[in-house]
Amino acid sequence: MKLYLDTANVQEIREVHALGVLAGVTTNPSLVAKALGEAGERFDSEAAFYARFTEIVREIAELVQAPVSAEALATDPEGMIAEGRKLAALNEHVVVKLPISEAGLRACRVLADEGVAVNMTLVFSANQALLAARAGARYVSPFLGRVDDIGWDGVELVRSIREIFDVHDLGTEIIAASVRHPQHVTAAALAGADIATVPYKVLKAMIKHPLTEIGIQRFLADWEKAKQEL
Ligand code: E4P
């Protein structure tokens, strides 16, 4: 399973990219708004805000040189198609994120036929994933955490989609999204997700284990002791 970072914070992406584990990035409007808010950036018009959004998407794509999902904000198919074309033109690595809906499916089919990679997002059922795949989506994003939040089983959703895609030979990649903790990552990998998109905090937590910390300290202490006895 490949690992993506689920953020629009360029600093976080730069740091994780340096670890050599990053295969892509996903953003969404909430994450972009959060990153710009945290950076204290203010805008005097929606056009200026949108221009900054596209600038960030391009910057991330140039940095990671791997798929970067950027969400179209239009809600009608024509708007989604026009916006999708513009986003895709920003950089060869840009993947257009569209919500699963009638408008999203129609736009997905048109963009996919033009060779634009689409990540169909906000997927909460296996049928939605099947529709996305049939509309030509390159990626489908089931939201594990949000499914768990309503008392259903997000990992089970990933497992069902995996089985359907395998049985019916569908090449759409499954991105386990809305990942909330390291256990979600392990479970998504075991359930057959192709990719997990992981928040910065979760990725950092995946690195750590108390026994690793203790082990490092013990090795260093033993080495120091041996040096004293030379
Ligand atoms: C996926 O592409 C989304 O950006 C993300 O995983 C949503 O996660 P959330 O449910 O934590 O907002």
Side-chain angles (χ1 to χ4, degrees), residues 20-182:
V21 299
L22 200 57
V25 172
T26 52
T27 68
N28 66 37
S30 310
L31 292 171
V32 173
K34 181 169 175 261
L36 291 176
E38 281 168 358
E41 296 193 35
R42 296 284 176 272
F43 303 91
D44 51 16
S45 68
E46 196 185 334
F49 182 65
Y50 196 85
R52 182 71 183 111
F53 158 59
T54 57
E55 208 176 277
I56 290 174
V57 171
R58 191 186 284 123
E59 189 182 349
I60 296 171
E62 284 169 4
L63 171 66
V64 299
Q65 295 289 314
V68 176
S69 290
E71 194 147 342
L73 296 163
T75 51
D76 62 300
E78 291 72 26
M80 286 176 175
I81 294 164
E83 204 182 337
R85 286 178 182 145
K86 281 189 196 146
L87 289 171
L90 290 173
N91 184 287
E92 58 178 318
H93 296 295
V94 171
V95 173
V96 177
K97 224 176 180 189
L98 297 174
I100 172 83
S101 62
E102 289 192 23
L105 287 168
R106 283 174 58 180
C108 180
R109 171 45 65 202
V110 172
L111 290 169
D113 287 348
E114 292 176 5
V116 172
V118 173
N119 172 1
M120 195 132 268
T121 190
L122 289 166
V123 165
F124 293 97
S125 76
N127 281 340
Q128 289 180 323
L130 176 61
L131 287 164
R134 287 299 180 204
R138 178 109 27 115
Y139 306 93
V140 66
S141 291
F143 275 38
L144 264 74
R146 294 194 200 182
V147 170
D148 288 356
D149 286 347
I150 59 159
W152 294 23
D153 188 340
V155 174
E156 195 47 46
L157 171 61
V158 172
R159 198 171 287 119
S160 308
I161 298 171
R162 173 79 283 148
E163 193 172 338
I164 290 168
F165 284 8
D166 287 350
V167 168
H168 299 284
D169 202 19
L170 295 164
T172 301
E173 290 194 76
I174 303 167
I175 304 181
S178 188
V179 165
R180 300 276 166 78
H181 46 72

Side-chain angles (χ1 to χ4, degrees), residues 175-222:
I175 304 181
S178 188
V179 165
R180 300 276 166 78
H181 46 72
Q183 274 175 308
H184 263 157
V185 181
T186 309
L190 289 169
D194 298 286
I195 298 153
T197 188
V198 179
Y200 172 81
K201 259 168 64 177
V202 174
L203 192 126
K204 296 281 274 194
M206 286 166 65
I207 301 170
K208 293 195 183 302
H209 193 286
L211 292 180
T212 306
E213 309 300 320
I214 292 167
I216 291 170
Q217 292 312 321
R218 205 170 283 166
F219 285 150
L220 290 174
D222 287 347

